[in-house]
Amino acid sequence: MSHTAPKTLSDYRKDIDSALEDSFLRRTLDTFAVAYRANREAVFKEVDERGLIKQIADAKDDACKHMEELYEQFRRVAEERGVHVHRAATAEDANRIIASIARENNVKRVIKSKSMTAEEIQLNPYLEKEGFIVDETDLGEWIIQLRHEGPSHMVMPAIHLSRYQVADDFTKETGVKQDAEDIQRLVKVARVQLRRKFINGDMGISGCNFAVAEMGAVSTVTNEGNARMVTTLPRVHVAIAGLDKLVPNLEVALTALQVLPRNATAQRLTAYATFMAGAGECGACEDNKKVMHVVFLDNGRTEIARDPLFSQIFRCVRCGACANVCPVFRLVGGHKMGYIYIGAIGLILTYFFHGKDKAKVLCQNCVGCESCKNVCAGGIDLPRLIREIRSRLTDEQGGGVEGTLMAAVMKNRKMFHSLLKFASYAQKPFTGGTQFQRHLPAMFLGKHGFKALPAIANEAFRDRWAKIAPRVATPRYRVAIFGGCAQDFIYPEQLEACVKVLGARGVAVEYPMAQTCCGLPLEMMGQRKTSVDVAKQNLEAFDASKYDAIITLCASCASHLKHVYPHILEGKADAARVQLFSDKVTDYSSFVHDVLGLTEKDFNNSGEKVTYHASCHICRGLGVTKAPRDLIADAATYVPCAEEDVCCGFGGTYSMKFPEISGTLLAKKLKHIEETGASRVVMDCPGCVMQLRGGVEKQGMKVKVSHIAELVAENLKH
């Protein structure tokens, strides 16, 4: 099976280019993503999604803490029921154990059901090298085995293939020409071929979704009957399970089963959920008893279990939902977004199971949209773990020229701001007096030509502050503004709109001049040390005790200040002060809607058709969904947009590293906006404004791109 990991970013971008050129892959994954989101939402309406996820997280965390006890309990109970239990420290050990079992039982042909753990240890190539015939029996796995490929998805391994490719593979396998248009016939061909393998199999190897300690039982959760055939027909059954699959009792497994199929394939329940406790009967065996072995794999899991941050990956139930909702996976597929494990969890597991060299480039391909975190069955903070891996790799291997330069500049606030002000003068030959860099030589654009780049404002917001600061005699609230780099130096008019509204509604506003970048771009590049430095600077700049709120118009900044600062400043700053600061951080839409209580009576509704782009960090990072849409409907005519909450492709520094993906995501977003017929699109993030406004300008679209604060200010009654 083919598993490769890119060694350099340059090589990886070439791989990505080839994936983006695959029109079938793009169309297939796009269709799946849209249908999956709708179907998942429908099946989760019947249950308490967040409650179930919390139950799974709590139970799996507890199982992780008691992993050794659960293993011993499982081993004791299973052995009492005639099962042989093994523990493999490494992938090589697991392969040797399984091959030894096969030799001891005179096995010639092995049949397998789907197992990502078997993929992890590269079991098939090992057994084949040892002289055994190995046949996959899951339809998707069998198809990719014929092609000598690895799975492109943990649940749907052949999702990247067309029926024409499958028909060609079946033609080669059977020697009979197969009709790609006759899908039922193709299924029958597969059944005939696989039945022969079931009948001739000497040993069956299955994976394990849950290893229930109190029962000494292993389980498989599938939609095909092949797993039951694999575990019942051959005289020998070997189940391979990671130590992370251990759970204390059946109740935990059944709770997880309420989420696993809903998350994996948007089903209420899979066709087969099987629990096997003890060796069953087998007429082909001398004592009428099947030979059953369970091999538990460590392969770094014990070390992970001891890590206070990364131990949460033990909550993973391998549903693949993190890939299903990932905008990057949707474009390039699993073979380009993982090594063996794919999706967000795959980027993390690659680091631990297959080495830092294989993870270094792959883990950069996360846009940070937090879609994965939002649907994770175990509530794993996947974006945080990916950022942490980047940070560790940077500490160990260096952050490259770009990251090192950025860190050096942003650590020094005065230098950083001075450079931005200098750039506002130096850019004039390239802007032609417009909001965009219109005359940059093509050599500077490269693959970034999919959007117009913004000009830096002639006068930063901080330099305008003294002239526009509102004078409020008897304030209802006292707030501070966290400006963020983009709005301070590129889009100061957005902050002016905010201040105008706050002042008009009796809010006293301050703008602390010692503030600097929130540090999110540094985090995304793995520059943790400098990220902590700028966080400390901002903590010093704001005396949170003076304010009712710290308002920011950048959803990305808000999410970072509110949720990331407490983590990265732990043990590095006064905890109470950090928490007070983070608690006071509020996004603009929430403040004017929920605190000031603006409603339709406060607006002169313009009637303008306005659609909305729900920036990733407003809807997922902060969980704010109602306030901005209400404000739009109060100030204008709100026109819903398809996939409003799907990433626009900006991702800060991500768009610099992966312009091919960024541009493709932008094109899709602009298409949806155009289809609404709206004359304006608004959002809560200046980064998204930069991305969408640049795309609109480049394509010559007649759509105005604004921050929601500007729409509110324009239509507010005075």
Side-chain angles (χ1 to χ4, degrees):
M1 295 182 186
S2 174
H3 293 284
T4 58
K7 294 182 178 179
T8 67
L9 185 59
S10 176
D11 289 341
Y12 191 26
R13 287 177 60 178
K14 291 176 184 176
D15 291 342
I16 286 170
D17 281 342
S18 67
L20 291 174
E21 291 168 2
D22 187 336
S23 59
F24 170 79
L25 178 70
R26 292 266 305 279
R27 188 169 60 252
T28 298
L29 295 181
D30 205 55
T31 301
F32 168 74
V34 173
Y36 170 81
R37 283 162 59 89
N39 294 337
R40 182 186 183 278
E41 182 179 357
V43 295
F44 267 110
K45 285 181 179 178
E46 308 162 345
V47 295
D48 177 8
E49 178 185 356
R50 292 298 135 192
L52 285 170
I53 288 173
K54 186 177 187 308
Q55 287 182 56
I56 294 169
D58 290 345
K60 294 282 273 181
D61 284 349
D62 189 65
C64 178
K65 292 174 185 174
H66 299 93
M67 184 180 73
E68 294 300 334
E69 299 162 43
L70 292 176
Y71 170 75
E72 288 301 328
Q73 183 184 13
F74 182 98
R75 183 185 60 77
R76 184 178 67 255
V77 176
E79 287 180 349
E80 288 173 356
R81 292 178 168 173
V83 178
H84 306 276
V85 180
H86 312 262
R87 182 163 176 167
T90 66
E92 182 67 21
D93 289 341
N95 285 331
R96 278 200 300 265
I97 290 169
I98 295 170
S100 176
I101 293 168
R103 279 192 291 269
E104 289 170 4
N105 289 277
N106 299 314
V107 168
K108 294 181 180 178
R109 185 179 288 270
V110 176
I111 57 174
K112 282 181 72 264
S113 63
K114 182 161 50 189
S115 167
M116 284 307 301
T117 310
E119 288 286 343
E120 176 187 331
I121 65 175
Q122 288 292 272
L123 178 60
N124 287 15
Y126 185 92
L127 292 178
E128 288 168 348
K129 187 178 178 182
E130 293 293 308
F132 301 101
I133 299 170
V134 183
D135 293 311
E136 293 286 353
T137 64
D138 172 88
L139 179 56
E141 291 284 350
W142 181 54
I143 291 169
I144 62 173
Q145 184 183 32
L146 295 178
R147 300 175 60 84
H148 306 288
E149 294 178 351
S152 65
H153 190 285
M154 287 192 285
V155 177
M156 298 161 284
I159 192 174
H160 60 293
L161 298 174
S162 72
R163 63 181 182 273
Y164 302 103
Q165 291 169 297
V166 173
D168 288 344
D169 294 330
F170 283 10
T171 296
K172 293 174 186 175
E173 178 68 9
T174 63
V176 178
K177 177 67 176 176
Q178 304 295 337
D179 181 4
E181 302 300 332
D182 191 346
I183 295 176
Q184 292 301 318
R185 170 66 183 166
L186 291 176
V187 172
K188 289 179 181 178
V189 169
R191 283 178 179 156
V192 169
Q193 295 295 316
L194 292 174
R195 280 172 183 164
R196 294 171 183 160
K197 301 178 190 301
F198 288 131
I199 293 169
N200 295 322
D202 301 310
M203 182 169 87
I205 298 177
S206 73
C208 172
N209 291 94
F210 307 101
V212 184
E214 70 172 8
M215 299 167 60
V218 294
S219 70
T220 57
V221 180
T222 67
N223 271 320
E224 299 175 28
N226 69 298
R228 287 190 174 177
M229 303 281 271
V230 163
T231 58
T232 56
L233 285 178
R235 51 193 167 83
V236 182
H237 170 211
V238 177
I240 180 167
L243 286 167
D244 52 303
K245 299 299 178 69
L246 283 161
V247 295
N249 51 52
L250 186 61
E251 181 182 358
V252 172
L254 293 179
T255 299
L257 273 175
Q258 294 184 66
V259 176
L260 173 54
R262 285 180 165 89
N263 244 21
T265 50
Q267 295 173 273
R268 292 176 179 84
L269 189 65
T270 52
Y272 303 93
T274 308
F275 290 83
M276 293 158 279
E281 294 182 358
C282 179
C285 300
E286 292 181 5
D287 58 356
N288 202 37
K289 205 77 168 175
K290 178 184 287 292
V291 177
M292 183 174 179
H293 294 257
V294 178
V295 179
F296 280 99
L297 176 68
D298 190 323
N299 201 30
R301 286 166 172 81
T302 301
E303 180 183 351
I304 295 169
R306 289 194 290 261
D307 190 303
L309 177 59
F310 281 96
S311 59
Q312 64 184 287
I313 65 178
F314 267 49
R315 303 175 192 168
C316 178
V317 297
R318 305 293 192 267
C319 64
C322 56
N324 296 349
V325 298
C326 175
V328 178
F329 173 85
R330 180 173 173 175
L331 292 180
V332 303
H335 287 154
K336 300 298 184 288
M337 200 190 172
Y339 175 60
I340 288 177
Y341 291 102
I342 56 91
I345 192 66
L347 303 183
I348 298 163
L349 295 181
T350 298
Y351 175 83
F352 285 101
F353 293 162
H354 299 108
K356 300 170 186 177
D357 58 323
K358 292 183 174 63
K360 183 175 183 179
V361 175
L362 287 173
C363 76
Q364 297 180 55
N365 197 7
C366 170
V367 72
C369 71
E370 301 201 5
S371 294
C372 53
K373 177 183 176 181
N374 200 47
V375 301
C376 178
I380 304 171
D381 193 345
L382 294 159
R384 181 186 176 189
L385 299 188
I386 292 171
R387 291 195 303 269
E388 180 65 26
I389 287 174
R390 289 172 176 166
S391 175
R392 292 185 182 187
L393 287 170
T394 297
D395 288 345
E396 295 166 6
Q397 303 176 13
V401 176
E402 292 176 357
T404 303
L405 282 174
M406 177 182 280
V409 170
M410 296 183 77
K411 184 176 182 177
N412 187 323
R413 178 182 62 83
K414 291 183 179 179
M415 179 195 295
F416 177 44
H417 292 173
S418 296
L419 285 172
L420 287 171
K421 289 179 180 180
F422 172 76
S424 70
Y425 295 103
Q427 71 183 352
K428 289 183 178 179
F430 306 107
T431 63
T434 70
Q435 292 182 319
F436 300 98
Q437 307 279 356
R438 294 189 180 280
H439 308 297
L440 282 175
M443 62 179 289
F444 289 115
L445 291 175
K447 292 191 175 183
H448 297 270
F450 61 86
K451 64 181 178 184
L453 300 178
I456 295 172
N458 291 329
E459 186 179 27
F461 179 78
R462 61 181 54 240
D463 296 329
R464 305 181 187 190
W465 177 244
K467 294 175 286 186
I468 66 169
R471 305 288 186 264
V472 181
T474 310
R476 297 168 59 194
Y477 302 98
R478 294 186 182 277
V479 305
I481 298 290
F482 182 88
C485 313
Q487 285 164 327
D488 194 349
F489 292 95
I490 301 176
Y491 303 124
E493 67 276 6
Q494 296 175 7
L495 292 173
E496 285 197 32
C498 166
V499 171
K500 177 182 175 183
V501 171
L502 296 180
R505 287 300 182 266
V507 179
V509 185
E510 292 184 18
Y511 190 83
M513 291 295 168
Q515 64 179 283
T516 187
C517 172
C518 70
L520 178 57
L522 293 162
E523 276 289 306
M524 293 294 285
M525 296 191 77
Q527 298 289 339
R528 171 64 55 76
K529 291 179 180 177
T530 308
S531 171
V532 169
D533 286 339
V534 300
K536 288 179 178 178
Q537 290 177 38
N538 284 322
L539 198 63
E540 289 298 319
F542 289 82
D543 181 356
S545 64
K546 292 170 51 180
Y547 310 118
D548 296 301
I550 298 171
I551 299 173
T552 176
L553 278 69
C554 177
S556 298
C557 291
S559 180
H560 188 68
L561 298 172
K562 198 170 190 67
H563 300 310
V564 179
Y565 271 26
H567 296 312
I568 64 174
L569 290 175
E570 186 176 0
K572 299 179 176 67
D574 180 74
R577 186 175 182 184
V578 173
Q579 196 59 56
L580 180 64
F581 174 85
S582 297
D583 288 345
K584 292 289 180 73
V585 171
T586 307
D587 68 281
Y588 171 81
S589 289
S590 293
F591 187 82
V592 298
H593 181 272
D594 301 339
V595 180
L596 295 186
L598 296 188
T599 63
E600 59 183 344
K601 64 181 176 57
D602 295 295
F603 293 93
N604 293 310
N605 191 299
S606 66
E608 181 184 14
K609 293 175 68 176
V610 178
T611 192
Y612 180 57
H613 164 59
S615 304
C616 299
H617 291 98
I618 194 78
C619 63
R620 287 180 289 275
L622 298 173
V624 175
T625 56
K626 187 175 186 296
R629 291 176 172 89
D630 283 354
L631 290 170
I632 297 169
D634 291 340
T637 300
Y638 168 48
V639 184
C641 181
E643 299 194 286
E644 278 186 350
D645 61 350
V646 173
C647 183
C648 69
F650 181 61
T653 54
Y654 181 87
S655 63
M656 297 163 54
K657 284 190 175 181
F658 297 100
E660 308 90 341
I661 294 174
S662 179
T664 306
L665 289 172
L666 173 61
K668 184 179 292 293
K669 177 63 68 173
L670 292 177
K671 178 176 180 292
H672 288 323
I673 291 169
E674 190 170 40
E675 288 169 350
T676 67
S679 58
R680 182 191 292 209
V681 56
V682 300
M683 58 220 67
D684 295 84
C685 181
C688 297
V689 170
M690 188 184 301
Q691 177 86 336
L692 293 175
R693 190 177 286 178
V696 163
E697 174 70 14
K698 191 72 176 181
Q699 293 189 19
M701 293 172 61
K702 303 299 182 184
V703 178
K704 186 176 182 179
V705 180
S706 307
H707 192 283
I708 195 168
E710 296 173 283
L711 178 72
V712 170
E714 289 170 21
N715 296 286
L716 188 71
K717 289 179 180 178
H718 297 290

